[in-house]
Amino acid sequence: MTDSSSKTNINQAYLTSFEEMSEKLSTDYNKGLSDEEAKSRLKKYGKNKLKEHKGRSIWQILLSQVLNPVIYLLTAAAILAFVFGDIPEGIAIVIVLLINTLIGFWMEYKAEKSMDALKKMDKIQSRILRDGEEKDIDAEEIVPGDILLVDSGDLIAADARIFHTTELAVDESPLTGESVPVNKTTDALEEEKSLGDRTNILYKGTAVTNGFGKAIVYATGMDTELGNISDLVGGEEKDEIPLQKKLNKLTQNLIWVTLGLAAAFAVFGLLAGKELYQLIQTAIAWTIAAIPEGLPIVASIALARGMIKLARKNVIIKKLEAVETLGETTVIFTDKTGTLTRNKLRVKSLVFSNDQRIDIDVNKKDTSDKDDDKTDEKNDHFRHFLKISVLANDASLGEDDSENKENKDEKDTQEEKKDDGDPLEIALLQYVKNQHPNLFTEFRELERKRHDPFDSDDMVMGAVYAEKEGYYIAGKGAAHAITQRSAKILIDGKEEEFSDDVKDSWMKKNDELAEEGLRVLAFAFKKTNDLPADNEEEEFLEDLVFVGLVGFLDPPRKEVVDAISLCKEAGIKVVMVTGDHPGTATNVGEQIDLFDEADKNKNLTLSGKDLQEALDNDDNEKLINTPVFSRVSPKQKLSLIEHFQQKGEITAMTGDGVNDAPALKKANIGIAMGKRGTQIAQEVSDMVLKDDAFGSIVNAIEHGRIIFGNIRKFIIYQLSYHLSEILIIGLISFTLFTLPLLPLQLLFLNLLSDVFPALALGVGEGDPGVMQKRPKKPEEPILNKRNWMQIGLYAVVLMLSISGGYYYAHYVWEESVEVKNNIAFFSLAIAQLVHVFNMREAKEHLFSNQVTRNKYIWMALAICFAALFAAYFVPEIANVLSFERLDGKIWGLIVICALLPVLVIQTIKFLFKKYF
């Protein structure tokens, strides 16, 4: 790509006239560049493509999986096993290492594609003017100074300053989040504007929705706004997932405990004159006992099952750990359009010239339901509004205008005709058709005779229709344009003079509606007996009769209010971040109850320069306490995420456009839209909403909390018996200098217990009241002090029971080392399996609780007991695991030692509920 010395250095092009732009770029806007000059500039500036950020190679990803302390310790144990001839133990440890490494490798490999979508956006053709001729070229060949020609449907290939338009409108939502296409102009702007307000600029990656335009290219490739965002995406790194941090810290602590015990035992053993092989074998046993080999497998499977369940609820999780991180989310930064709102404009308010205002309920589930305004169709003002809505309109409706299309067959949905045209005009047609279908049909049947399409300079459009008596002229447009073209005003059915004072009062009403966050159009009409001549088409929208104003709103989704209420109850802060107008954002915020009572007397919205000033000054109080940020740039979104993360918040960020990609990548959880999201947004995100609904985010958070609770539960389960194994080995090894449990036996037992019962705990339904609790503090470890107390208690009880049986067989029965080993193994194996019933909450019923109602627990126990006794009765497996044939007396001791811990623990839980 180009270096800094070759940039065009044209700043604030929107403040510069196109004549000055042409001079600065040494180009002729009537002819364009010559082919020779274009080739020269291509060498100077480079191709018009985005920088390719180099990702990690397959080998780098693989290497990252093996460079961690757990792998080192288990690898050392495997090597020692092979050196001392314990081939089965060495092979078993290697298998565990391979499984864990492959799971981690696959998960990270799929996350290495975040830039592919941006590259694909470059593969387009563009029409330019060179040597006075129009040419279609590869967009990568465009250079600064080229004259870009754009038409409806074109994807804009470079940043360019407009110098000619014909009804040009551009969808800039991928960059700005603006829900309505922007009407483009040619005049230089007089003051600094945010990205969404630069009406004379075309931006790379946006799309032309209507009209035609010509523009001078001034930035290509990485120098464009899209290039700046691409640079942010490539440069930003996501903080490590909280669950990863906590699991890594936990396993590192276990490693140090294991190494400490092994070192102490080695010192005592050498002083006592014991053989080095016995000491090494004990160290290997401790290594296997200390490390929950199945932990990453079970955590991954539990999270994967969470992914599957969420997929059924319209949430696609791309990264396993993201499920858990959702449960820790403390702040949700959400886009407005399409997430909190329906992304469908609706008629909200009608203000007629008799001072009558009609506010329409836009939150109805289906616009085919009749509104409650009960306006009489015979009312002159209202009838003219309906008539102008249909006649001064270039949009068309599809076969199905309702919002409820879920029941249609997929084939029918694909084949049906879609609504086509400007969103405001579609909203008008839908309103009239759904509320007054007879009038809609009547007006649609009238014959259009003349047409004046919308022009961004005039800001009006209109049409002439033939009626039984004369002609009807319908006009609509910006309030200032319609009032200037109106000579009379309709009051109580009579046409009266429209004085300048009255016009000023209507402009104030227009401003009031705009401050409410509504998009406003003015309506006017005229009746005439004579059809305007063809050469007078541009003049027939004069001397009109003013009818009133119409306000439009993108209504909130019905489920959003309840979802936000649930977030507040769960201690989660919801912040709206949008590129839209401050008034619109505030209006939506009020409708969805985003603001608390304490917010009512505060500044609810922060936007533009004020937002940047707060970020530059690190004004934490203002940033933390503002519920709505509007006119937000991509860099500001990123800065907001960073600010909240620095304050210790776990952030979730929703987005759909290219402008959202850096913040989506930086947030702890990036949430992209599935229906309207750009590919880059979906690529860099952690999860995708298939229905684009805010309610689905809340469902995902609830499920994330349940998943974390389940993960914590099975970790307590695993660590308690792993600690008991360490204590059993330590106690008996230090007192009798014999190894009560062999490494291969421990590996076999832990692979059973670590996977099946632990996995069953990990997929439980969880606590139904989980959303009534505040989020955990981000710094809270995966196991808190109370959890460690539980683990210690469980481990000690297990150790005392199993070691008691071992000592009893040693001192009372004087059994052989082999039989004592089998007593320790089978009593511990059964005790570990039934220990799963100790994982119930203390407040739950002893026999009816989350554990006993979990069918997977019973299935897991059946599998484990079957595997355990199969190993005992199959001679080949029994020989490898050093099993002996045991008589009834021995089995009686095993059963007592195995069941005693669950009886003791359940009794303690019953007596001391508050500690559990």
Side-chain angles (χ1 to χ4, degrees), residues 206-272:
T206 60
V208 180
T209 60
N210 187 61
F212 171 78
K214 297 180 182 180
I216 304 172
V217 174
Y218 65 87
T220 58
M222 295 301 291
D223 295 338
T224 62
E225 289 292 336
L226 183 62
N228 293 334
I229 295 170
S230 168
D231 216 18
L232 291 173
V233 173
E236 283 304 323
E237 296 296 330
K238 185 184 290 290
D239 287 348
E240 189 177 15
I241 295 288
L243 179 62
Q244 290 175 324
K245 292 180 181 178
K246 293 169 183 176
L247 289 180
N248 289 342
K249 186 175 181 180
L250 179 63
T251 51
Q252 287 171 7
N253 290 338
L254 290 173
I255 288 171
W256 286 113
V257 170
T258 303
L259 292 175
L261 285 171
F265 182 76
V267 171
F268 282 109
L270 290 172
L271 292 175

Side-chain angles (χ1 to χ4, degrees), residues 1-2 6-8 10 21 25-28 32-49 126-131 137-149 157-161 204 215-224:
M1 200 49 225
T2 71
S6 62
K7 289 184 179 180
T8 54
I10 291 183
M21 287 288 295
L25 290 165
S26 301
T27 188
D28 184 339
L33 299 173
S34 66
D35 285 333
E36 274 188 33
E37 178 62 20
K39 288 178 182 179
S40 173
R41 295 191 184 193
L42 189 61
K43 290 181 181 179
K44 179 180 179 181
Y45 298 116
K47 287 193 173 184
N48 177 34
K49 64 179 183 179
S126 295
R127 174 157 290 200
I128 61 167
L129 194 65
R130 281 189 184 167
D131 288 321
I137 66 168
D138 190 325
E140 290 187 0
E141 307 299 319
I142 291 177
V143 296
D146 266 328
I147 304 304
L148 187 64
L149 310 177
D159 289 1
R161 170 68 167 86
K204 181 179 176 70
I216 304 172
V217 174
Y218 65 87
T220 58
M222 295 301 291
D223 295 338
T224 62

Side-chain angles (χ1 to χ4, degrees), residues 645-656:
Q645 286 178 335
Q646 289 169 4
K647 302 304 177 184
E649 305 286 357
I650 300 297
T651 58
M653 169 74 189
T654 74
D656 60 349

Side-chain angles (χ1 to χ4, degrees), residues 97-109:
L97 285 171
L98 287 174
I99 292 173
N100 289 343
T101 301
L102 288 174
I103 289 176
F105 169 79
W106 178 247
M107 288 166 56
E108 292 201 21
Y109 175 73

